Amino acid sequence: MFLRVDKLQIELPAPKRQDPNAGAALQELLGGKYGEMSTLGNYLFQSFNFRSKSKLRPFYGLVAAITAEELGHVELVSNGVAMLNNGPDGDDDETDGGDVSGAPYEAMKDIRLAAAFYSNAGGATPVNSNGASWNADMVTTTGNVIVDLLHNFHLECGARLHKLRVYESLTDPTGREVCGYLLVRGSVHAHAYALALKKITGVEIEKMLPTPNIPLGNIPECQKYLNAGSHRRLYTFSPDDYAEIAGVWGGGETALPGDPPGELEVVEGMPEGGKIHQLTGVPSAFTPDYAPEEMFEIAEKLYQKSR
Amino acid sequence: MFLRVDKLQIELPAPKRQDPNAGAALQELLGGKYGEMSTLGNYLFQSFNFRSKSKLRPFYGLVAAITAEELGHVELVSNGVAMLNNGPDGDDDETDGGDVSGAPYEAMKDIRLAAAFYSNAGGATPVNSNGASWNADMVTTTGNVIVDLLHNFHLECGARLHKLRVYESLTDPTGREVCGYLLVRGSVHAHAYALALKKITGVEIEKMLPTPNIPLGNIPECQKYLNAGSHRRLYTFSPDDYAEIAGVWGGGETALPGDPPGELEVVEGMPEGGKIHQLTGVPSAFTPDYAPEEMFEIAEKLYQKSR
Amino acid sequence: MFLRVDKLQIELPAPKRQDPNAGAALQELLGGKYGEMSTLGNYLFQSFNFRSKSKLRPFYGLVAAITAEELGHVELVSNGVAMLNNGPDGDDDETDGGDVSGAPYEAMKDIRLAAAFYSNAGGATPVNSNGASWNADMVTTTGNVIVDLLHNFHLECGARLHKLRVYESLTDPTGREVCGYLLVRGSVHAHAYALALKKITGVEIEKMLPTPNIPLGNIPECQKYLNAGSHRRLYTFSPDDYAEIAGVWGGGETALPGDPPGELEVVEGMPEGGKIHQLTGVPSAFTPDYAPEEMFEIAEKLYQKSR
Amino acid sequence: MFLRVDKLQIELPAPKRQDPNAGAALQELLGGKYGEMSTLGNYLFQSFNFRSKSKLRPFYGLVAAITAEELGHVELVSNGVAMLNNGPDGDDDETDGGDVSGAPYEAMKDIRLAAAFYSNAGGATPVNSNGASWNADMVTTTGNVIVDLLHNFHLECGARLHKLRVYESLTDPTGREVCGYLLVRGSVHAHAYALALKKITGVEIEKMLPTPNIPLGNIPECQKYLNAGSHRRLYTFSPDDYAEIAGVWGGGETALPGDPPGELEVVEGMPEGGKIHQLTGVPSAFTPDYAPEEMFEIAEKLYQKSR
Amino acid sequence: MFLRVDKLQIELPAPKRQDPNAGAALQELLGGKYGEMSTLGNYLFQSFNFRSKSKLRPFYGLVAAITAEELGHVELVSNGVAMLNNGPDGDDDETDGGDVSGAPYEAMKDIRLAAAFYSNAGGATPVNSNGASWNADMVTTTGNVIVDLLHNFHLECGARLHKLRVYESLTDPTGREVCGYLLVRGSVHAHAYALALKKITGVEIEKMLPTPNIPLGNIPECQKYLNAGSHRRLYTFSPDDYAEIAGVWGGGETALPGDPPGELEVVEGMPEGGKIHQLTGVPSAFTPDYAPEEMFEIAEKLYQKSR
Amino acid sequence: MFLRVDKLQIELPAPKRQDPNAGAALQELLGGKYGEMSTLGNYLFQSFNFRSKSKLRPFYGLVAAITAEELGHVELVSNGVAMLNNGPDGDDDETDGGDVSGAPYEAMKDIRLAAAFYSNAGGATPVNSNGASWNADMVTTTGNVIVDLLHNFHLECGARLHKLRVYESLTDPTGREVCGYLLVRGSVHAHAYALALKKITGVEIEKMLPTPNIPLGNIPECQKYLNAGSHRRLYTFSPDDYAEIAGVWGGGETALPGDPPGELEVVEGMPEGGKIHQLTGVPSAFTPDYAPEEMFEIAEKLYQKSR
């Protein structure tokens, strides 16, 4: 079972301007082969299909707990996409007057992923930066623990590379913050899968990290997460389960050489998180609708009634 | 953010025999257009992309909370698939001797979804009962609240129809229990989206239920859930959030006419749940590996260390 | 069986200039999930697969007749796409000299759907505005009348939303006229499916219209169709069949509140229609060929012979 | 524009028994690369995108008129699929009692295209015999007349080959009749495109026919159509248009050497056609619904009112 | 550039009987995510896109040379598929009489991949064992050497697992021989990529082999290749290039511990290879055609003329 | 079996500037329906699946030998794509300083195929100019020789049309040279398939050439290949096999009327070829890595060791 908490894993800065091509760039980290839908989909189905769960608890727990974190990553990138497509935080009481006849969205015809406006009003969907859908070909779940863990290690390394390149193409703080945070957390996951593989096979595969060969410290947006020790911390993302991942992550092992030093630690639960930004409705785009005032009023009454 | 709990939403009976075509049938409820990946994918992205969240809280909360329940449905169907593909609960200490040369899996060449054995060792993946992948075409997120809710209402009605047909093709108790439970919960979701639409538009669309026109009471596997009142209960699936869905579900409204009577109620948190069955490893299929004994021993030590 | 008439459903204005990205925008209404290929595909296969046709004639007839209209919508949007990709109506006798070596199509390398030029010379194909193909996942045909009609009602509402957004991104009169007409006809179809559902279930679902919540009267390009009463008219699109749709559409029911008032009526046959624009050949793009003069001459002789 | 006539192009015999794998076989002729969706899709979009229509009228008319016939082929194969999936013509008043709990559809779990039952109740959809979707990759529309006609000629030859193989795998009269008729009409289309190419290029490409190298006369189910001269007849499938195709088909040219001799002729309009079989509802499969009696009664009243 | 040699990499035994589901099983090793189209596609595009080729010659050469071997693997599996679909080696002079009307291929309607018969006459195509297409999502080419090599190492391990499972489902000697050979060669490739990674990163990743954890010696069909030392041998598959792969493979390194001992060696050129089996034509399936005698005669004359 | 030679089929000029949209344009000739992956895929699988190979040797040999040439075409276009995406030939010793934090790739967010940068660092992949994947729907292999050859003839004509249009959109010499060469070679293949069809059927289908109706002589980039007689030359692309294609190509037949006159000839082996350009690494894009110096040093040592 899964529970949901109405927060993002981190506090995101609001975009400075609307930039649909930046939103589309971030889609590569959502629906691309090495995007968050893929990390989620792989670990989700691997955790369901895991054999001999009770005999392999620290390894099963690792895949299961990281799955929950990946759900939050999908959420974070999706929020980033929608925010960049919509622009600075706004005010629902300011409307655009409601004349739809003057081609108010002419600019949308020339953006890269025009369908993201036409069909989704700038919302995120599980497609890559070219608009191609995420799909089951991006899921590896073999039932063999070594093959799955090795796949996951390679996936996190590849994902790191893709995050770096998307980061390098963005100037807006929202997208850059998403990338910075995911780079730190992706490094944790790569490290964790490496340690799991080392426990089982004896191969010190964590010595391949960082791949690509650039320390997190070179990315300004990673600094605050490094300072806070996020790179040494694995969360159980569970009220009561998965603490046994400490068998893999911790027990005296330490941060990767290029990162701020310290012991690896398991945190039961989740990070503090940050607020979910409002996506201001745009009546002329029919979000939440053309004339939403009555809907707002109904919702307000229902909300009061529910307290 | 999301948290994970190491339980299924219900207790499932173990399969009586291995039946890969039954597992493949259940895949229609996982990766088909009206399957759980679709309900999950729709509500997940709709909740990320929801406009004017704070002004529309009971409606936003409804989509957000049901998303979390759908994650558990994906988990439940996936467990059902894997269990049916693997057969009765087993014992990891009994192995098959390890001679792989005598074509021990000849039968797998004739099952409908042979790739599910070859690539996934009988594990679940996001494909339908013909092996076609789930994809972004099955996600509707328009940013318009009425269109999205109407889509969701239709989706839950369609999903109910598909669950009924899969149910009617299964004889094994595992698959039938999955269907019975999902039918009850799907009815709750259809009812909830109907009430949301009624609040906003005034149209008594819940009077279309049940669609198709068969009461849950005709399905033996639904009885215990009806008796327990599951059809009147919407969970927040959250430690602290989404209680405002009581603005939509409840407030004096009652169960659908054909179902056991009573008031609708919101339950903060989640159901009690049931255990996740062990999927016994099969060394000759290399799950978790060909000779997993050493791996088991390592895992046991790491587990002990983590306590 | 189907018959074809060499006219469009309406008279379209010629484009003022070539605008491939506008043509690509219109593709969302052709091959997108809520585009005309989808409405066509859904009703086409639903009508083939309809159970108990003779006992459910007004409902079967409704789906069957609207299918024929949707064929004309696919034709209309496709003509719009091809016209926008090709520019103003031209004259086949003016050619471009035939020097292909000077990169005469350099601009095509930077348009959004470059493949539409390279492979289709600007012709329409069943893809969306991002170039992703229409496919069977966009077809719902369940055999259950309520689920199918409910799906269709939601589909027409969703399609209306998408048409509005495409309309809002276009400045050229060709594309805007296509949208204006389709908005009126889509409203008729949503209304008709709503009435069908109401007849069967008693739910006044037509009160949800218009969705999104903007009256057609706000769209200048809809005016002439509203003035002509198109919003009150359902065609049989058949020489002799489907008149029984009057059991659903008409019988005293009237136009939607926000639209010009009047009774709903069934028209046997089809609208008057408008001419199909010539798509002038462009020899340097090898349409109809590099040096088509001889082909024109042959065609002229064959045409004369056929009279 | 298109009109619809509530008949099939021919009279089909009812199936002798339900045979879902035979229905699935016929899907290859519907949604396969060389199936009727492909011939339809190619000619439909080619006719929309045709350049210099007025100067190339006999050729444009040929593609446009055959498009309309292909719509009827899609209809014919779809009816065949649905009939084979459903079995002998039945009687809506005989119902199956309504107990859905005894796994009445256990057999459906083992058919090749299980999703066709679960999602479509045995209805036809645009997929091939393996359940893979038809898509835009199967449409060639280049704007170049020679390339398009050459493609079409090859397509009809390939389609003939596929029809032959499907025919050879079917024993039921319904499917065999569909194949027999389509073989004759496909030969007409191959012949017609060959003649068009010959008129333009001078190459006697019709001498390649029949491809594959087997005369229609070897197929018993083709006999009555040959006897009736169907192989020499091209219909305009239009109330008033496309008669100029006589410039290509006819003018003294004759049937292919291996077929019954005679002159080619153009028939304005359409063939007489045959009745559409009832697809009997199956309440336990929720078609048209679980308890459709009230729906039948409503429909009957509406039908009476509409006369 | 590439050259072709009219031989398979090994001598294959003829099938003992026609077994289309066995052919379909082998398709998983052709068009599945971990099949030969994937290894080919990955290395082909990686070798094209390789940066700093001259500075990284032993690594570039490794990817480039293995690409050529993979082409032969695609060929080998494809031949296996076609052979199993067609049955024992036959004699083109024996024909089946030519009566196509008696449903000679009724059995084909019930095989798993019916489209493989209808469209391909039992020929191989780039699809997996469920009929889903190979595609670009199965290609990783990042431009980063470590990520690509790590991907390739994981790919070869995963491919080994899939080959083992397909092997375990086959009883026919043709398919088993294909698997046995590919298992040995796949081990070589996994070993080679491991050594490349070790040279660059220092991580002894080859110690993870064999994955899954079963020695090749347990597979009878691998024995002759092990005896011949194939597991220690990397071919340049080139007339003159790529000998520099000896910088990675060899230089004193030895076979994996569980395999027959010995030094690794590079062989310039290719293995001796085996004959390509005739796929006997089947006139009633129109291969090479219905009445091919004249075609054979023409071919014979042209062949004589060419000597 | 296949061998590889470390050269391109021709010498390509270096690009004058980086132009990702030109690279994306060239992708249409790589992964589009009429691109080189399609010609390769068709002939590759047709040659594997060819029936009665020994009796039909000149025809089998033709398909088999052209397959090998197509591999080189895939290589050539891929190199062209990667070169255009990367810009002028560079020097690996010049690096960009390594500061990745200043959004050095901001421009990549606005290119048409952004995923080609993010995931592939500008490398080629099997997708078309809109980013849609090449797939098995683009492969026709029927087992019938006439249908396959006719398909191939149409494919080469269609491919010629697409190459012309891509050529007309490019200004950079690299892309234009690729197109010029492929136009000449594509003409040879169209001509060769035409002759094969003529031998078997007697139809002078080569008289349809050139299609589209423009002589190669109008394309400046074709001149040097015409002057060298490339249009009259078919290579065996094999050390020892396929010389029997002289039964089809040659024997006194001559060049097409519009091309420089002369006899057709078969050349055993391959053309001389040209060098493969270096794709300079870009550390800030992590190609071959962020700080590749150590990797270069290791490679150099390994290379020396291998001599």
Side-chain angles (χ1 to χ4, degrees), chain A residues 8 10-16 80 83-84 89 172-178 221 224-225 275 277:
Chain A
L8 299 180
I10 54 165
E11 191 75 36
L12 281 183
K16 291 204 187 307
M83 289 164 74
L84 284 163
D89 285 3
D172 187 281
T174 308
R176 291 173 72 91
E177 188 77 18
V178 168
E221 281 78 1
K224 79 176 147 205
Y225 302 108
K275 74 165 180 300
H277 285 246

Side-chain angles (χ1 to χ4, degrees), chain C:
Chain C
M1 279 191 284
F2 294 82
L3 297 172
R4 188 167 189 174
V5 175
D6 205 38
K7 288 175 118 181
L8 299 181
Q9 287 180 4
I10 55 166
E11 192 74 37
L12 282 183
K16 293 204 187 307
R17 61 182 189 92
Q18 190 187 40
D19 186 350
N21 281 1
L26 222 46
Q27 284 280 164
E28 189 73 11
L29 301 186
L30 181 55
K33 185 180 176 184
Y34 287 87
E36 300 299 335
M37 280 295 292
S38 284
T39 44
L40 170 61
N42 276 282
Y43 312 155
L44 187 74
F45 286 99
Q46 285 177 19
S47 66
F48 298 153
N49 299 332
F50 211 100
R51 304 308 180 92
S52 308
K53 288 184 180 74
S54 67
K55 292 203 167 184
L56 293 170
R57 257 179 297 188
F59 303 114
Y60 164 63
L62 187 72
V63 176
I66 294 181
T67 301
E69 176 162 359
E70 298 295 354
L71 275 163
H73 290 187
V74 167
E75 182 183 45
L76 187 70
V77 182
S78 295
N79 272 265
V81 168
M83 289 165 74
L84 284 163
N85 283 338
N86 285 282
D89 284 3
D91 178 346
D92 273 331
D93 295 328
E94 291 174 15
T95 63
D96 52 7
D99 181 0
V100 307
S101 69
Y105 294 107
E106 188 179 359
M108 293 299 108
K109 147 177 97 59
D110 298 317
I111 63 174
R112 190 163 71 248
L113 297 187
F117 171 71
Y118 295 133
S119 284
N120 313 116
T125 53
V127 302
N128 76 357
S129 62
N130 287 345
S133 178
W134 183 84
N135 62 69
D137 290 334
M138 301 180 194
V139 173
T140 287
T141 167
T142 69
N144 180 280
V145 169
I146 309 279
V147 172
D148 282 2
L149 288 175
L150 179 59
H151 169 272
N152 298 352
F153 175 72
H154 123 270
L155 182 65
E156 293 285 354
C157 291
R160 188 176 189 272
L161 174 60
H162 293 79
K163 285 164 194 162
L164 279 163
R165 289 197 189 127
V166 171
Y167 169 80
E168 289 180 281
S169 76
L170 297 178
T171 52
D172 187 281
T174 308
R176 290 173 74 90
E177 189 77 19
V178 168
C179 294
Y181 175 70
L182 293 178
L183 278 163
V184 174
R185 297 308 304 165
S187 286
V188 168
H189 296 171
H191 193 182
Y193 286 126
L195 294 179
L197 278 168
K198 183 167 72 171
K199 306 288 188 198
I200 301 177
T201 67
V203 174
E204 295 177 303
I205 198 170
E206 83 281 5
K207 294 195 171 162
M208 258 184 219
L209 300 176
T211 286
N213 187 22
I214 181 174
L216 289 171
N218 286 24
I219 316 293
E221 280 79 1
C222 293
Q223 289 303 346
K224 79 175 145 204
Y225 302 108
L226 292 174
N227 294 345
S230 180
H231 62 295
R232 292 182 292 104
R233 209 169 290 142
L234 200 55
Y235 299 89
T236 62
F237 276 101
S238 180
D240 299 305
D241 299 311
Y242 312 124
E244 65 270 24
I245 58 178
V248 174
W249 181 267
E253 299 219 52
T254 56
L256 292 173
D259 294 336
E263 281 210 17
L264 306 184
E265 54 177 344
V266 168
V267 177
E268 299 196 22
M270 58 185 167
E272 195 184 348
K275 75 164 180 300
I276 297 177
H277 285 248
Q278 289 295 310
L279 294 167
T280 315
V282 185
S284 65
F286 313 103
T287 61
D289 209 336
Y290 181 61
E293 297 74 17
E294 194 186 353
M295 197 192 294
F296 288 163
E297 206 176 306
I298 291 165
E300 178 60 21
K301 280 187 196 152
L302 293 171
Y303 181 68
Q304 293 309 334
K305 198 183 72 172
S306 77
R307 307 307 295 177

Side-chain angles (χ1 to χ4, degrees), chain D residues 150-279:
Chain D
L150 178 59
H151 169 272
N152 297 351
F153 176 72
H154 124 269
L155 182 65
E156 293 285 353
C157 290
R160 190 176 187 271
L161 174 60
H162 293 80
K163 286 164 193 162
L164 279 163
R165 290 198 187 126
V166 171
Y167 169 80
E168 289 179 281
S169 77
L170 297 178
T171 52
D172 187 281
T174 308
R176 291 173 72 89
E177 189 76 19
V178 168
C179 294
Y181 175 70
L182 292 179
L183 279 162
V184 174
R185 297 308 303 163
S187 287
V188 167
H189 296 171
H191 193 181
Y193 287 125
L195 294 180
L197 278 168
K198 184 167 70 169
K199 304 290 186 198
I200 301 178
T201 67
V203 174
E204 295 178 305
I205 198 170
E206 83 282 5
K207 293 195 172 162
M208 260 185 216
L209 301 175
T211 285
N213 185 20
I214 182 173
L216 289 171
N218 286 25
I219 317 294
E221 281 78 1
C222 293
Q223 289 302 350
K224 78 175 146 205
Y225 303 109
L226 293 173
N227 294 346
S230 180
H231 62 295
R232 293 183 289 103
R233 206 169 294 140
L234 200 55
Y235 299 89
T236 61
F237 277 102
S238 180
D240 300 304
D241 298 311
Y242 312 124
E244 64 269 24
I245 60 178
V248 174
W249 182 268
E253 299 218 52
T254 57
L256 292 173
D259 294 336
E263 281 209 17
L264 306 183
E265 55 177 343
V266 168
V267 177
E268 300 195 22
M270 59 184 169
E272 195 184 350
K275 76 165 178 299
I276 296 176
H277 286 247
Q278 289 296 308
L279 293 167

